């Protein structure tokens, strides 16, 4: 990478990068390392493909989604903040009413850096987790969608690295490098959060991940979008516009799988979901087990139910609640309380604690409300075919590793079991080795003929942007 970067063209941005020499130098140093990471850990064998992608080149309605064929290593990873709001204030915590910070408040520096690094680390992690899936895509449409998600996660990494470079000096630059050094699932240098070290071995897992785990991203970004540190708030607001597409890919992906399965069951008059496998579709019990897994590991991402860190992030004004400014209360939460679940005498009970310490749990509950609505939409798809099966979210305490339920053996119905009782049911509740083998066996090879779809998934209702479903979304060259 030479120093003659045309900043607007190469790194589309609205942060006046062309004039900021210090930031330019930092990014010039980081960009080749980023490209090295992309070639190494980005989508396998994809570097020469022409992919029909959207690129954000500005934050205007006309500029944030420009569609064209592009080779992914040439994707223009840009830096965008939504425009500032005049007179914006810190809207919660002890600093409520102060003008929003345009620079890092010194006393909160390390806390703020940690929030940015933790968010930033998830972005490249998911690209790493998904890097082999292009090899077994069920259609060109789906292949294009996963690549779109991947390049945007790459851009989200840029967004966080911009904040580290621009506002944190030397330790920010070190953190930015470390973001390229960690690897999902690596024993010695793993990604920071658990769910981002789990494999995403097949397309059912990918759709579950984008439905459940990208949505955790949405809720984290939404609460950071409330931050009193204005550059973080504005960055996250723009990232949320892209995140919506990732969740769309997940919701419609799972929806198309259950649609296909239920239609095949109805056509063949199959009542027992376990008999669907013989017809080359993914049985609904397996879909439920994947759901149980991805839901539970994603719930852990919200952190402990009782958390003094969450209280500090809030009290200082760095991380708000979901839709903080729409909530009708004092935004300080001095005396407020909140209910969290816990296990007492072998039963799950509610416990009232200080609302400030329960902010992770509150965000988790907001999240659960949204995923519940999505599961109901999947059930509508199944219902339409006349098949009586319904998907369900397991109990909040099921299969948890973090928080009040960690260490207990809780069934999807919410009963506290012994370890032996739980283990005896494990393969009914979570994907077993043989489930993964079955699903992966169905996904050998990719479907490359425009408009064709693998047998286990229904076509989408419409194509991407203005294109038809049988458009050539990826050209392999
Ligand atoms: Fe992201
Ligand atoms: Fe995402």
């Amino acid at each position: 990478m030479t120093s003659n970067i045309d900043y607007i063209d190469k790194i589309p941005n609205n942060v006046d990068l062309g004039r900021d020499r210090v930031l330019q130098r930092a990014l010039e140093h980081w960009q080749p390392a980023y490209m090295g990471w992309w070639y190494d850990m980005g989508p396998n064998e994809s570097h020469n493909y022409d992919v029909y992608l959207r690129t954000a080149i500005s934050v205007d309605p006309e500029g944030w989604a420009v569609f064209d064929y592009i080779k992914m290593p040439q994707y223009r990873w840009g830096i965008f903040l939504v425009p500032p709001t005049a007179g914006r204030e810190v809207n919660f915590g002890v600093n409520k009413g102060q003008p929003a910070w345009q620079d890092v408040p010194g006393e909160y520096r390390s806390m703020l850096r940690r929030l940015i690094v933790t968010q930033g680390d998830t972005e490249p992690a998911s690209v790493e987790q998904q890097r082999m899936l292009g090899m077994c895509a069920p259609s060109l449409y789906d292949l294009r969608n996963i690549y779109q998600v991947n390049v945007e996660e790459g851009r989200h990494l840029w967004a966080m690295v911009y904040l580290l470079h621009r506002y944190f000096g030397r330790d920010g630059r070190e953190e930015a490098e470390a973001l390229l050094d960690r690897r999902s699932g690596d024993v010695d240098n793993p990604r920071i959060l658990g769910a981002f070290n789990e494999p995403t071995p097949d397309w059912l897992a990918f759709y579950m991940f984008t439905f459940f785990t990208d949505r955790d991203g949405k809720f984290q970004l939404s609460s950071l979008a409330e931050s009193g540190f204005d550059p973080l708030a504005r960055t996250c607001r723009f990232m949320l516009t892209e995140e919506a597409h990732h969740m769309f890919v997940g919701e419609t992906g799972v929806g198309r799988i259950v649609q296909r399965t239920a239609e095949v069951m109805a056509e063949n008059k199959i009542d027992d979901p376990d008999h669907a496998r013989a017809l080359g579709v993914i049985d609904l019990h397996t879909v439920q087990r994947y759901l149980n897994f991805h839901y539970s590991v994603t719930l852990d991402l919200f952190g402990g139910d009782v958390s003094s860190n969450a209280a500090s992030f809030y009290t200082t004004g760095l991380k708000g609640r979901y839709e903080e400014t729409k909530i009708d209360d004092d935004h300080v939460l001095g005396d407020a309380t909140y209910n969290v679940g816990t296990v007492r005498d072998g039963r799950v009970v509610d416990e009232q604690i200080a609302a400030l310490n329960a902010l992770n749990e509150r965000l988790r509950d907001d999240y659960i409300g949204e995923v519940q609505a999505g599961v109901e939409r999947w059930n509508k798809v199944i219902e339409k075919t006349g098949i009586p099966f319904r998907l369900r979210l397991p109990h909040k305490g099921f299969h948890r590793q973090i928080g009040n339920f960690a260490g207990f053996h809780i069934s999807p119905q919410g009963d506290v079991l012994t370890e032996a009782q739980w283990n005896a049911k494990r393969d009914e509740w979570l994907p077993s080795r043989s489930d993964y083998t079955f699903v992966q066996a169905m996904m050998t090879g990719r479907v490359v003929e425009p408009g064709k779809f693998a047998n286990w998934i229904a076509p989408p209702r419409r194509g991407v942007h203005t294109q038809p479903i049988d458009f050539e979304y990826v050209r392999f060259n």
Side-chain angles (χ1 to χ4, degrees):
M1 186 59 44
T2 69
S3 56
N4 306 319
I5 299 175
D6 175 345
Y7 284 96
I8 291 290
D9 195 47
K10 194 100 190 174
I11 308 177
N13 72 89
N14 65 351
V15 295
D16 217 359
L17 185 54
R19 284 170 198 234
D20 189 334
R21 296 293 306 155
V22 178
L23 182 58
Q24 274 180 33
R25 237 172 299 142
L27 286 174
E28 266 169 38
H29 189 77
W30 187 78
Q31 187 176 40
Y34 172 81
M35 289 312 299
W37 169 81
W38 180 269
Y39 276 108
D40 246 22
M41 298 310 293
N44 190 47
E45 286 185 17
S46 67
H47 306 313
N48 204 34
Y49 302 167
D50 291 305
V51 187
Y52 187 70
L53 291 178
R54 74 175 181 194
T55 304
I57 56 165
S58 77
V59 295
D60 316 330
E62 319 83 62
W64 86 270
V66 174
F67 285 81
D68 205 352
Y69 282 105
I70 189 163
K71 290 187 177 36
M72 284 187 285
Q74 278 140 42
Y75 184 81
R76 295 154 70 205
W77 281 282
I79 299 168
F80 295 105
L81 282 64
V82 298
T85 309
R88 184 166 182 266
E89 296 180 344
V90 180
N91 292 314
F92 54 91
V94 293
N95 298 304
K96 183 170 175 278
Q98 284 185 23
W101 302 299
Q102 299 307 324
D103 272 306
V104 175
E107 66 272 44
Y108 307 146
R109 193 170 188 282
S110 65
M111 222 189 285
L112 187 55
R113 194 184 58 212
R114 178 157 148 220
L115 278 170
I116 293 169
V117 167
T118 307
Q119 178 62 41
D121 191 67
T122 66
E123 314 290 355
S126 64
V127 176
E128 293 165 3
Q129 288 169 295
Q130 296 161 12
R131 69 181 300 265
M132 296 308 291
L133 291 175
M135 310 307 289
C136 56
S139 72
L140 288 186
Y141 166 89
D142 291 279
L143 184 60
R144 176 265 168 213
N145 278 347
I146 193 172
Y147 289 159
Q148 183 73 60
V149 171
N150 293 158
V151 291
E152 286 176 354
E153 300 305 4
R155 203 201 69 73
H156 291 178
L157 173 60
W158 274 81
M160 293 296 117
V161 164
Y162 158 71
L163 294 173
L164 291 170
H165 278 175
R166 169 74 180 73
Y167 295 96
F168 290 88
R170 173 200 277 265
D171 51 333
R173 291 194 293 277
E174 285 167 8
E175 293 283 14
E177 269 163 39
L179 286 168
L180 295 175
D181 291 340
R182 285 186 286 272
R183 289 286 182 272
S184 176
D186 192 281
V187 193
D188 300 318
N189 196 12
R191 291 294 171 185
I192 296 170
L193 299 170
F196 291 89
N197 289 302
E198 298 284 351
T200 308
D202 57 64
W203 280 77
L204 179 55
F206 168 68
Y207 295 129
M208 289 290 181
F209 185 96
T210 40
F211 178 80
F212 285 108
T213 311
D214 281 71
R215 193 180 311 275
D216 160 69
K218 169 190 167 175
F219 279 78
Q220 300 301 337
L221 290 175
S222 297
S223 45
L224 294 174
E226 303 288 344
S227 181
F229 179 53
D230 206 41
L232 175 62
R234 292 167 53 210
T235 304
C236 290
R237 257 180 222 289
F238 188 71
M239 291 163 77
L240 282 165
T241 57
E242 292 163 326
E243 208 57 59
H245 173 68
H246 308 177
M247 292 179 294
F248 164 86
V249 169
E251 178 167 337
T252 54
V254 175
R256 289 159 54 211
I257 289 176
V258 298
Q259 179 192 341
R260 178 69 185 144
T261 301
E263 283 171 358
V264 167
M265 287 174 70
E267 270 163 36
N268 292 278
K269 304 202 163 40
I270 294 180
D271 297 326
D272 185 344
D274 289 336
H275 295 165
R277 284 191 178 193
L279 296 163
V281 292
I282 303 173
D283 61 289
L284 296 171
H285 285 137
T286 299
V287 175
Q288 176 69 60
R289 285 192 284 273
Y290 272 63
L291 182 160
N292 291 349
F293 176 78
H294 287 272
Y295 177 63
S296 57
V297 299
T298 305
L299 288 185
D300 276 341
L301 288 175
F302 289 84
D305 311 46
V306 185
S307 167
S308 57
N309 276 337
S312 308
F313 292 152
Y314 186 83
T315 304
T316 50
L318 297 180
K319 181 181 178 185
R321 289 170 292 177
Y322 182 59
E323 302 199 315
E324 178 71 41
T325 47
K326 293 186 189 160
I327 300 172
D328 183 20
D329 63 16
D330 68 359
H331 304 278
V332 180
L333 306 181
D335 311 312
T337 58
Y338 196 79
N339 279 348
V340 301
T342 192
V343 176
R344 203 167 297 135
D345 304 326
R347 284 181 41 230
V348 174
V349 293
D350 266 351
E351 178 182 46
Q352 215 178 45
I353 66 166
L356 270 181
N357 289 323
L359 288 165
N360 288 341
E361 186 64 5
R362 175 169 181 143
L363 193 61
R364 186 163 24 233
D365 287 340
D366 289 334
Y367 166 87
I368 290 172
E370 212 179 90
V371 293
Q372 180 66 54
V375 171
E376 278 156 26
R377 287 190 291 275
W378 292 335
N379 282 333
K380 287 248 160 60
V381 173
I382 303 173
E383 198 180 339
K384 260 197 211 146
T385 65
I387 297 293
F389 188 94
R390 298 293 176 263
L391 294 165
R392 314 178 38 171
L393 289 181
H395 186 271
K396 205 198 269 187
F398 171 73
H399 188 236
R400 292 287 303 282
Q401 317 292 324
I402 288 175
N404 288 352
F405 297 116
F408 291 100
H409 301 282
I410 297 174
S411 74
Q413 292 73 35
D415 298 317
V416 183
L417 308 180
T418 66
E419 186 173 359
Q421 287 170 326
W422 198 93
N423 283 341
K425 292 280 203 176
R426 190 223 168 265
D427 286 0
E428 251 175 64
W429 293 336
L430 290 171
S432 64
R433 197 173 295 235
S434 77
D435 289 333
Y436 284 122
T437 304
F438 162 72
V439 172
Q440 283 160 37
M442 202 170 270
M443 298 178 188
T444 51
R446 66 179 157 205
V447 179
V448 295
E449 196 181 321
K452 281 267 175 325
F453 289 80
N455 184 58
W456 48 265
I457 190 164
R461 262 197 289 209
R462 62 177 71 87
V464 175
H465 193 42
T466 55
Q467 303 300 348
I469 291 172
D470 62 0
F471 187 67
E472 194 179 8
Y473 288 105
V474 180
R475 296 179 183 148
F476 297 99
N477 301 313

